[in-house]
Amino acid sequence: AYRLWYSTAGTIDTVDRDTGLGARIYRWTRLEPIPGTNKVICVALSPTAGQRLISAVYDNTWGAEKVLADASIPDSTTMPRVFDVAVENSGEAMAVWVDTNNTTSLSYSTWTSAGGWSASSMSVGYNVTYSTRTQWVRLVTKPNSDEIQLVFSKSPATTGTQELHAVTWNGSSWGTGSFISGNTTGSSEQRFDVNYERGSGDCLIAFSSSTNTPPSYTTRASGTTSWSAVGQASDWGTDLQGQWYRLVREEAPSSDDIYLMVNTSSDTVGYAVAWQKWNGSSWGGITKVETKSLSARQSFDMCILKSQVDSTPPAPISNLTAVASGTTEGQVKLEWTSP
């Protein structure tokens, strides 16, 4: 029997603690914190006892497990992660997954602190014919918003390439959905990712095309529903193609910077880990940080370190005045509005 374990110490805890999610084999696990609370949502996929998608909530202790889907998840013994979870700014959580009983769309369930998970799964409603199963599901929340962007890949039966689709949740319902590309690649790796610019709120999707060309991308302006024409980012180099994609945004409030990091593969020059930066309107140059990576797995990750120093000077004080009251020792009281 296998269990999921956790640690909450400030340093790595040497004591394994049982989450209470039950004795099963687990293929994928996702954690998302609930803003402004000590709660954490855990969603895990198990191939044991009927392909179960299971969730539990941590709030200083683990709550009872909730089975979101049972015996209706595609075979999770293979690589793809066919679910994801995200949390709105309001604290409501969203889980989306591939359900074999839902042959025309993806299924989802919502969680609230007061009511827990919704009683039954619901359909995203974006009508896509699933000739073969959806491969990868990705969710990301817009900063300071209840908007969630869903992006997923699927493999049509008639071609060897992957399709990429996107659907937007506005905090209460799903939109109509968009076909992004029919020219993506790779079912064993997540060859795409999605994230929002912190400053503008615009959404960016980057993905690998079916040839050894630069990575492709598309954007959606904040408050709109249409995606831009597909463009190309900077080229990774001769014969290099992204295998695993990771988009990480800069968290400075006014920044539109998003970093794209990937494993690249090539039969001639080996494997590399490299990144490039999107500044809100264009891509920068390539930085390679490793040339002997393992492309069969996501053998890297990236985060942005928040500076502890406020390097922005305050605005000039324009209304500094002396207050009439004072002392006989020559002290002067000043009054102004903080910029």
Side-chain angles (χ1 to χ4, degrees), residues 296-317:
R297 299 289 186 270
Q298 185 186 319
S299 55
F300 69 93
D301 206 353
M302 185 180 196
C303 68
I304 305 296
L305 297 178
K306 183 178 180 180
S307 173
Q308 301 301 310
V309 178
D310 184 2
S311 60
T312 303
I317 297 173

Side-chain angles (χ1 to χ4, degrees), residues 269-285:
V269 297
Y271 304 103
V273 175
W275 62 266
Q276 57 181 292
K277 185 176 76 172
W278 168 259
N279 65 8
S281 59
S282 62
W283 293 94

Side-chain angles (χ1 to χ4, degrees), residues 160-316:
T161 59
Q162 294 270 94
E163 292 179 2
L164 203 61
H165 300 263
V167 195
T168 306
W169 170 262
N170 65 8
S172 59
S173 62
W174 291 100
T176 56
S178 300
F179 173 83
I180 300 299
S181 176
N183 198 34
T184 59
T185 63
S187 59
S188 296
E189 307 93 11
Q190 183 184 299
R191 297 196 183 191
F192 69 91
D193 204 6
V194 57
N195 215 327
Y196 286 90
E197 297 172 4
R198 166 65 72 174
S200 69
D202 294 351
C203 194
L204 170 69
I205 300 173
F207 57 95
S208 180
S209 67
S210 60
T211 59
N212 290 332
T213 58
S216 299
Y217 75 96
T218 180
T219 60
R220 178 176 59 80
S222 179
T224 67
T225 59
S226 299
W227 293 91
S228 69
V230 173
Q232 290 194 316
S234 300
D235 199 339
W236 299 118
T238 305
D239 289 337
L240 292 177
Q241 186 178 45
Q243 298 283 89
W244 293 85
Y245 273 58
R246 182 87 165 88
L247 284 175
V248 181
R249 68 170 171 252
E250 170 64 59
E251 294 294 350
S254 61
S255 176
D256 291 336
D257 292 352
I258 297 180
Y259 292 83
L260 169 61
M261 196 171 195
V262 303
N263 296 73
T264 64
S265 66
S266 170
D267 293 333
T268 58
V269 297
Y271 304 103
V273 175
W275 62 266
Q276 57 181 292
K277 185 176 76 172
W278 168 259
N279 65 8
S281 59
S282 62
W283 293 94
I286 302 297
T287 299
K288 291 182 181 179
V289 297
E290 176 60 65
T291 58
K292 297 183 182 298
S293 70
L294 177 64
S295 67
R297 299 289 186 270
Q298 185 186 319
S299 55
F300 69 93
D301 206 353
M302 185 180 196
C303 68
I304 305 296
L305 297 178
K306 183 178 180 180
S307 173
Q308 301 301 310
V309 178
D310 184 2
S311 60
T312 303

